[in-house]
Amino acid sequence: MEREEALEIVKAHLTEHRYTHTVGVMETAILLAKKYGQNKEKAELAAIFHDYAKFRPKDEMKAILLQQQIAVDMLDYGDELLHAPCGAYLVKQEVGIDDEEVLQAIESHTTGRPNMTMLEKIIFISDYIEPNRIFPGVEEVRQVTFQDIDEGILMSIKNTVTFLMKKNQLVYPGTLATYNEMVQSRQNKRRV
């Protein structure tokens, strides 16, 4: 699917602000794909569709996850996470994208998951550091990500978990598992 066609499809499902964000994620993902030797087209496609379901009614997303038995555990951790697994499902059903790597990157972009592929890492961190994001600490994460993507992801998870804890909000266990796996992996590499 060509970029313009994909952007046109997704634009109909997003607010103007979220579309601008999506273009920023796409541009960042392309840069990171080049930097880390990954497939630029897959990164572009996953980035364009990462928020495809963002504005679907919450009840619709919950029903889809329950009916399809996808990420049902997320239902207990707030509605903000639902658009990722629901989006992967809807992109496959409605748009016809069946590339499992692209779909997995869409599905895991809000929470991460242990043993993420490089494509998943690129979409996860691109969503966090795209140029339209402005919040404390983002510039440092941007700089680090282009030197060491894993370190950038660890920083982003720390920032997100701290933010959620300060607001007394639940932290999805899959995000903590992602963090733990990445820290352990880095420690194991240092031992070798």
Side-chain angles (χ1 to χ4, degrees):
M1 179 177 295
E2 294 297 317
R3 177 189 299 185
E4 286 69 30
E5 180 187 1
L7 286 170
E8 203 56 40
I9 291 169
V10 81
K11 190 173 191 175
H13 296 271
L14 303 175
T15 63
E16 186 175 326
H17 175 76
R18 186 54 55 166
Y19 180 76
T20 300
H21 161 74
T22 295
V23 171
V25 174
M26 177 193 74
E27 291 168 348
T28 304
I30 291 168
L31 290 174
L32 288 171
K34 288 177 184 173
K35 164 79 177 159
Y36 292 105
Q38 297 300 301
N39 183 304
K40 181 179 79 73
E41 289 75 22
K42 287 187 182 199
E44 179 181 87
L45 196 60
I48 290 171
F49 285 103
H50 83 283
D51 275 349
Y52 181 77
K54 182 80 174 172
F55 298 105
R56 294 292 176 109
K58 304 297 184 215
D59 289 341
E60 177 189 355
M61 288 193 285
K62 290 175 184 177
I64 288 170
L65 296 183
L66 285 169
Q67 288 165 0
Q68 300 302 316
Q69 288 298 293
I70 305 168
V72 176
D73 62 327
M74 280 189 186
L75 295 171
D76 296 328
Y77 291 91
D79 295 341
E80 271 303 303
L81 304 177
L82 305 181
H83 73 278
C86 191
Y89 173 79
L90 290 172
V91 163
K92 185 173 186 174
Q93 299 304 311
E94 296 177 0
V95 183
I97 294 171
D98 59 2
D99 184 312
E100 286 303 319
E101 289 179 275
V102 169
L103 296 172
Q104 186 62 55
I106 294 168
E107 184 172 332
S108 64
H109 87 268
T110 56
T111 59
R113 72 177 184 89
N115 302 303
M116 285 190 286
T117 65
M118 184 56 80
L119 179 60
E120 288 175 279
K121 290 177 181 182
I122 287 169
I123 301 307
F124 179 88
I125 198 64
S126 293
D127 186 37
Y128 190 86
I129 66 168
E130 64 93 2
N132 300 293
R133 297 276 202 197
I134 301 168
F135 53 84
V138 72
E139 191 54 45
E140 184 182 1
V141 177
R142 277 188 192 112
Q143 291 172 5
V144 168
T145 297
F146 279 90
Q147 302 305 313
D148 180 344
I149 194 167
D150 288 348
E151 187 61 32
I153 290 169
L154 286 170
M155 289 173 71
S156 75
I157 292 173
K158 286 180 205 174
N159 291 348
T160 300
V161 169
T162 301
F163 173 80
L164 291 171
M165 291 174 121
K166 284 180 180 175
K167 293 180 74 178
N168 290 320
Q169 292 185 349
L170 296 172
V171 177
Y172 180 64
T175 301
L176 295 174
T178 303
Y179 175 82
N180 288 338
E181 179 272 325
M182 291 184 79
V183 168
Q184 191 167 46
S185 174
R186 290 173 82 77
Q187 289 172 348
N188 290 342
K189 285 179 185 171
R190 286 190 199 117
R191 288 187 198 127
V192 173

